[in-house]
Amino acid sequence: KAEGNPGLNRKMGAEYFKRIDALEFAVKYDDGKDINGLKEADVIILGVSRTSKTPLSLYLANRNIKVMNVPIIQDLILPEQLYEVKRKVIGLTNSVEQLNKLREERLKTLGVSGNSDYTDEIQIFEELEYALEIMGKLGCPIIDVQNKAVEETAELIIGIMRERGLEV
C-alpha cells in the first residue's frame, strides 16, 4: 500500500554510497589504468583480453565490492605489487576458440576487418599460456569463464573471496 512518502524506494543511505564508491573505484581502476588501488581493492581480477574483466568488475561493484581489473598482455611485466596482495587476486581464462570468436566480434564492432594477431589462434594460445604461467606464479585461483554468464562468474568470485576471508 502506498504510504504517500516519495523516495522510500531509493534511500541514499550508507549502502547506496558504498555502492557508488565501489562503482567509481571499478571505473578508475579498470583495465590496469592505475595500479595505485591494489591495497584498497577488495578483489583484483586478472585475465587476457575478452575474458569479461570489465563487466565482472561493474557487476561486482553493484554488489558493493571494490574491484580492480588488470589485463595480462604477453611480454608486459605486471606490477610487482601484485605479489604483495596475491590473496586478493583471481585469474580468468577462456578457450582459444571462444576468445577468437569474441575478439573477431569486437573488431567488427570497431569497424576493423581482416586478420590480426589479436584474433590469431596461435597468438591467443600463447597469450593464454603466458597468463596461466603468471597466475601460477601468483598462486591465484583461476576461473574458466567459457559458457558462463557474468552473474555465474561473479558468484564464483564471491565464493572465493569468502573462502579467503576477504570482505564481501
Side-chain angles (χ1 to χ4, degrees):
K1 180 178 174 184
E3 293 184 20
N5 193 353
L8 287 179
N9 289 16
R10 294 177 177 81
K11 285 199 175 209
M12 295 195 307
E15 282 299 304
Y16 170 81
F17 289 108
K18 187 174 180 185
R19 183 171 52 253
I20 295 302
D21 190 35
L23 283 163
E24 288 175 348
F25 188 91
V27 170
K28 181 176 182 178
Y29 297 106
D30 181 46
D31 212 25
K33 285 188 267 188
D34 183 352
I35 61 144
N36 293 317
L38 284 170
K39 293 192 178 179
E40 191 182 341
D42 296 324
V43 68
I44 301 153
I45 299 172
L46 293 181
V48 299
S49 176
R50 311 316 301 162
T51 50
S52 299
K53 295 179 304 294
T54 298
L56 272 166
S57 296
L58 295 173
Y59 183 85
L60 289 166
N62 270 297
R63 305 271 305 261
N64 300 345
I65 298 170
K66 288 184 178 178
V67 184
M68 170 184 271
N69 79 67
V70 179
I72 296 179
I73 301 168
Q74 202 165 4
D75 301 326
L76 183 70
I77 297 169
L78 290 171
E80 282 297 316
Q81 298 94 319
L82 271 176
Y83 292 92
E84 297 169 21
V85 293
K86 63 184 181 179
R87 66 185 283 267
K88 294 182 184 184
V89 177
I90 297 174
L92 303 177
T93 191
N94 202 332
S95 72
V96 171
E97 299 78 19
Q98 184 70 28
L99 283 173
N100 178 268
K101 286 178 192 172
L102 292 168
R103 289 177 177 194
E104 284 178 352
E105 286 303 313
R106 175 72 173 145
L107 289 181
K108 283 181 194 173
T109 63
L110 295 173
V112 178
S113 60
N115 295 334
S116 75
D117 285 347
Y118 186 65
T119 57
D120 180 75
E121 288 193 355
I122 293 170
Q123 178 67 32
I124 294 170
F125 175 80
E126 290 173 1
E127 283 180 47
L128 288 170
E129 289 295 307
Y130 178 72
L132 291 173
E133 181 183 326
I134 297 286
M135 293 174 200
K137 287 179 183 174
L138 285 164
C140 68
I142 302 169
I143 300 172
D144 185 345
V145 299
Q146 183 178 4
N147 301 320
K148 284 186 181 61
V150 168
E151 297 85 355
E152 290 175 84
T153 306
E155 288 306 317
L156 292 171
I157 290 171
I158 290 169
I160 292 167
M161 290 176 71
R162 286 190 176 121
E163 285 173 16
R164 292 181 157 211
L166 300 172
E167 189 175 327
V168 180

